[in-house]
């Protein structure tokens, strides 16, 4: 009976972590460098895969130039749905999926600073591991993440090794004095 309780506890814990990760990615805002796939069910000529450019505008069949940067996948789906419904399709079924997230960057006291492909569930520790690990001089308490906020402004956040890293983030690991 005790083993069953432990199993349920692990299952609840895991599902809570997975739910919070899904919740944060569902609010993920598209940015330049993301590769997205647009699928319109039954309309192959309206389905495409594209990398979002720096200016954030893509040219979509029938609708022309559409600004994508800063929208969530669901918001972009709604925009496409509204544009296609009526004049072009009766009831379009539109799906937008992020195929490849824009990279994150890590610099400072890591062995191989640079840009790396984003992976869902990435923490500061995991980001440092991708960069070859912390150097001997790395401070585990002086870590900063530079991130774009909802208004498009860069903000600097103090971070711990377990904090979440998002696509486009710049992680800086500073030097320890001891």
């Amino acid at each position: 009976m005790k083993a069953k309780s432990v199993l349920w506890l692990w299952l609840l814990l895991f599902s809570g972590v997975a739910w919070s990760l899904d919740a944060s990615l569902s609010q993920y805002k598209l940015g330049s460098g993301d590769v997205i796939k647009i699928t319109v069910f039954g309309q192959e000529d309206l389905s495409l895969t594209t990398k979002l450019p720096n200016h954030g505008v893509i040219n979509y069949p029938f609708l022309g130039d559409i600004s994508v940067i800063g929208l969530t996948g669901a918001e972009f789906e709604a925009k496409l749905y509204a544009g296609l419904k009526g004049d072009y399709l009766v009831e379009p079924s539109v799906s937008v999926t992020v195929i490849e997230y824009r990279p994150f960057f890590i610099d400072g006291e890591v062995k191989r600073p640079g840009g790396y492909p984003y992976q869902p569930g990435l923490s500061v520790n995991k980001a440092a591991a991708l960069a070859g690990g912390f150097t001997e001089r790395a401070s585990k308490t002086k870590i900063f993440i530079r991130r774009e906020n909802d208004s498009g402004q860069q903000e600097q956040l103090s971070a711990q090794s377990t904090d979440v890293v998002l696509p486009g983030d710049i992680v800086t690991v500073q030097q320890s004095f001891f």
Side-chain angles (χ1 to χ4, degrees):
M1 189 70 162
K2 187 175 182 177
K4 198 176 210 181
S5 297
V6 171
L7 178 62
W8 275 109
L9 180 63
W10 277 105
L11 184 59
L12 285 172
L13 177 65
F14 176 73
S15 64
V17 169
W19 180 83
S20 76
L21 182 60
D22 286 345
S24 67
L25 288 179
S26 70
Q27 297 303 310
Y28 174 70
K29 296 191 184 281
L30 299 170
S32 72
D34 287 335
V35 177
I36 60 170
K37 181 177 182 180
I38 302 168
T39 306
V40 181
F41 181 72
Q43 303 294 321
E44 289 300 317
D45 55 331
L46 296 178
S47 299
L48 62 95
T49 300
T50 186
K51 184 174 187 175
L52 300 181
N54 287 340
H55 55 78
V57 176
I58 63 167
N59 190 297
Y60 190 75
F62 300 123
L63 303 180
D65 289 342
I66 300 176
S67 181
V68 180
I69 302 297
L71 299 176
T72 66
E75 290 168 340
F76 186 42
E77 284 175 5
K79 194 173 198 177
L80 290 172
Y81 175 85
L84 293 172
K85 185 176 178 176
D87 290 342
Y88 303 106
L89 299 171
V90 176
E91 196 66 37
S93 178
V94 180
S95 169
V96 174
T97 308
V98 178
I99 301 296
E100 183 181 311
Y101 294 96
R102 61 188 176 272
F104 74 94
F105 300 88
I106 186 165
D107 62 9
E109 294 300 318
V110 291
K111 293 181 181 171
R112 290 190 311 272
Y116 292 90
Y118 175 77
Q119 303 167 12
L122 194 65
S123 67
V124 170
N125 265 349
K126 290 177 184 176
L130 287 173
F134 294 108
T135 66
E136 300 83 35
R137 296 183 189 165
S139 171
K140 303 287 181 14
T141 58
K142 293 182 184 174
I143 301 172
F144 299 95
I145 297 176
R146 211 165 58 220
R147 176 178 293 159
E148 191 173 297
N149 62 22
D150 290 339
S151 61
Q153 301 297 316
Q154 289 283 326
E155 61 184 5
Q156 185 165 305
L157 311 166
S158 182
Q160 296 178 0
S161 59
T162 57
D163 285 347
V164 173
V165 175
L166 298 176
D169 281 357
I170 301 170
V171 179
T172 301
V173 179
Q174 292 192 340
Q175 196 176 69
S176 174
F177 290 111
F178 300 103

